[in-house]
Amino acid sequence: MKRTSFLAAAPLLFLAIVEAPAADPPRSGHPVFDRAVELVTDNFHDESAIDRFAAAVRREIEDPQSPVAKASSPDRVDEAIDAVLASLDASHVGRFQPDTIDYFELADIFRYAIRNDMRRLFPPEGEVSYPGVGMIARPQNGVRFVSDVYDGSPADRAGILVGDEVLSVDGKPYHEIESFSGKVGKPVEIKLRRQAGAEPITVKATVERLKPLSTFEKAIEESAAVTTHDGRKIGYVRLWTLAARNSMGEVAEALAEGKLKDADGLVLDLRGRWGGGSSDAAELFVGDTPPFRLIPRKGEDVLANVRWRRPVVAIIDEGSRSGLEVFAYALKVNGIPLVGQRTAGALLAGRAYLLPDDSLLEIAVSDAVLEENTRLEGSGVEPDLPVPFSLPYAAGNDPQRDAAVEEMRRILARG
C-alpha cells in the first residue's frame, strides 16, 4: 500500500513544559495527595489560579469532618484530589485511574512524558494495551450508555450501537477493564437494552488486546465510506483523534487513493475522543500549497502533499476538543459549514505525570491562543447548523451525520 508522508508540526495538546517551582504548597502527609498538589503548584499554566488552588488544598487538609492525612482512605484521597483540581476550573486537568479506558488511552498519548515508567507499567515491552472490545459506555443518571463504538472493533462487528444501555458482561456488572481482563481471544456475552423498557438483547464479542493509538488509526481507516445520493458520491470519515502518529495520514490516503478518492464531497466527522496532533492539520482542506507526489526511479510513487479541493461539511460536538477544536475553527473561518453542537471549549496544552499510586495526573501547562487573541478555552466553536443529539436508546441513529449529509447534498445540488 502506498503511504502518505507528512512533515511533523509542533504538537498542540501534549507539551512537556518545565516551569520554575512555586512556593511550597500545604502538605497533608499523604504521598499521593501531596504529590498531586506539588505538581499542580509547580506546573499549572495560570499562576493567578494558584492562590485559589492552595485555599482548596487547605480546606481539604483542615476539613473538620474528614481531614486529608497520611492515614486517609483511598476514597477520601480521591475525593480530595478531585475537589482541588476542580478549583482550577480548566480543561486538561484531571486524574485517571488504571481501571479506566481513559487511563490507557492517555498513557499511550503521553507515552514520552512517562517513558521511564513504561516497561514497569506495561510489561514486558512497555507498549500500552488493555483488554476490551472497542466501545465506550458513558454513565448517565446511574445508567451506562454506549457513546462510542470504534470502527472495525469487536464491538462494531458484534453490532453494538451507540445509545445501547449496557446491562452486564458475562452476567456481571459492566466495568471498563475488569469485565474483559483475562479474556483476550475469548468471546464475552454483553447484555444490552436498545429501547427504553424493551427486553434485553445479548450479543457476543471477542475480546482483543487493544493498543490505543493503533486502535484509533484503524478506526479512522475503517470509518471511511461512500454513499450515493442524487447520483453524487458523498464520502465520510471520522477523525477519532489527532494524537496518533498517522491520524491525518489515514485521512489523506483515503482521499487521495483510497475509499474516498472518487467522492464528490466529504463529510468530515470531528466528534473525537481526544485532540492532540499538529495545529496545521486542517491544511489538508484549506491549505494553499499544491498537492504533489514524489516519483522514484523504482518503486511506487509517494504522496508528499495531499490537498482536498472538493466540498466539505464537518460534524462537531462536545467530543471535539483541543486540537480538534483548532481544526474546526480553521474550517469555519474558511467558510466550511459545521454541523452539530458546540465543541468542548477545551483548548490548553496538557502534560501527564505519574502519581505514587501509578494513577495519571494531567495538568494544563500552557495557554493556547489563536490568531491575535482568540481563546477557545471555555467557549468552544459554535456550529453553523445546530443539531442536537440524545444518547440514551439512540439505536445507532445519528441525526448529526444525517444533517451533514443533507447539507452536502444541498451544496452539490448548487453545483
Side-chain angles (χ1 to χ4, degrees):
M1 177 187 295
K2 299 178 187 176
R3 305 303 298 177
T4 305
S5 63
F6 293 89
L7 296 176
L12 172 71
L13 171 59
F14 310 117
L15 303 179
I17 298 176
V18 178
E19 299 182 1
D24 289 340
R27 301 189 68 82
S28 68
H30 194 283
V32 177
F33 182 83
D34 287 348
R35 180 57 175 158
V37 170
E38 179 184 32
L39 286 167
V40 170
T41 303
D42 289 351
N43 296 282
F44 186 67
H45 78 97
D46 184 0
E47 192 172 2
S48 69
I50 298 303
D51 285 346
R52 181 174 73 246
F53 175 74
V57 170
R58 196 168 292 107
R59 283 195 296 272
E60 297 302 320
I61 293 174
E62 298 174 358
D63 185 299
Q65 302 298 322
S66 180
V68 178
K70 183 177 181 179
S72 293
S73 69
D75 286 347
R76 175 66 184 106
V77 173
D78 292 348
E79 178 187 71
I81 292 176
D82 287 347
V84 298
L85 294 180
S87 74
L88 296 170
D89 191 24
S91 69
H92 297 81
V93 172
R95 179 170 172 239
F96 302 89
Q97 299 281 12
D99 61 348
T100 65
I101 294 173
D102 284 356
Y103 178 88
F104 289 91
E105 292 183 344
L106 285 174
D108 209 7
I109 289 170
F110 286 118
R111 61 196 179 281
Y112 296 117
I114 60 173
R115 58 187 176 276
N116 293 335
D117 293 282
M118 290 292 282
R119 288 186 180 275
R120 178 181 64 80
L121 292 171
F122 309 105
E125 296 89 359
E127 291 289 327
V128 182
S129 65
Y130 66 95
V133 296
M135 73 176 188
I136 305 297
R138 184 188 305 167
Q140 189 167 322
N141 298 323
V143 179
R144 283 189 175 265
F145 296 96
V146 176
S147 59
D148 299 283
V149 178
Y150 295 156
D151 297 275
S153 68
D156 187 21
R157 296 193 297 270
I160 295 173
L161 301 178
V162 169
D164 286 349
E165 179 187 349
V166 182
L167 301 173
S168 65
V169 177
D170 285 342
K172 298 180 180 179
Y174 168 77
H175 296 283
E176 291 187 342
I177 304 300
E178 182 184 333
S179 291
F180 308 105
S181 294
K183 300 177 183 179
V184 174
K186 300 176 182 178
V188 292
E189 291 190 346
I190 304 174
K191 185 174 290 187
L192 309 165
R193 181 175 286 115
R194 188 145 291 167
Q195 296 177 336
E199 287 297 313
I201 61 173
T202 300
V203 301
K204 288 187 177 182
T206 300
V207 178
E208 294 182 0
R209 182 152 292 281
L210 302 173
K211 295 182 178 180
L213 294 187
S214 297
T215 297
F216 284 134
E217 290 182 348
K218 178 182 178 181
I220 292 169
E221 179 184 13
E222 292 288 334
S223 73
V226 173
T227 55
T228 301
H229 303 266
D230 310 318
R232 302 291 189 93
K233 295 179 179 179
I234 298 178
Y236 168 88
V237 66
R238 184 165 186 175
L239 194 52
W240 284 97
T241 183
L242 287 170
R245 183 173 59 88
N246 202 40
S247 292
M248 287 306 298
E250 295 290 355
V251 175
E253 188 170 330
L255 293 172
E257 54 189 17
K259 297 177 186 177
L260 307 176
K261 65 183 179 65
D262 296 323
D264 297 297
L266 177 71
V267 171
L268 177 64
D269 196 339
L270 301 182
R271 298 174 297 178
R273 279 279 291 162
W274 308 103
S278 300
S279 57
D280 64 350
E283 291 293 298
L284 175 59
F285 302 99
V286 300
D288 294 328
T289 56
F292 73 95
R293 66 182 64 233
L294 300 174
I295 306 173
R297 178 172 175 174
K298 295 180 180 180
E300 296 180 325
D301 298 356
V302 176
L303 289 166
N305 190 36
V306 177
R307 290 291 181 262
W308 177 261
R309 304 302 191 195
R310 283 163 265 177
V312 178
V313 173
I315 311 174
I316 58 173
D317 71 356
E318 67 278 4
S320 310
R321 54 184 289 111
S322 199
L324 288 173
E325 293 187 89
V326 177
F327 202 127
Y329 179 86
L331 297 180
K332 183 165 185 169
V333 298
N334 280 277
I336 292 174
L338 306 180
V339 176
Q341 295 173 294
R342 185 175 68 89
T343 63
L347 185 57
L348 297 172
R351 188 196 189 282
Y353 303 84
L354 277 178
L355 294 178
D357 63 349
D358 286 339
S359 61
L360 200 64
L361 180 68
E362 185 183 16
I363 301 174
V365 295
S366 180
D367 197 2
V369 180
L370 298 174
E371 299 180 313
E372 293 300 320
N373 196 27
T374 299
R375 283 180 170 82
L376 300 182
E377 174 73 10
S379 59
V381 180
E382 294 287 348
D384 301 290
L385 179 59
V387 179
F389 177 81
S390 178
L391 178 61
Y393 310 112
N397 294 314
D398 190 342
Q400 293 173 340
R401 180 171 174 176
D402 293 344
V405 170
E406 285 303 306
E407 180 65 14
M408 179 56 68
R409 289 178 66 182
R410 286 192 287 270
I411 290 172
L412 294 175
R414 293 196 300 264

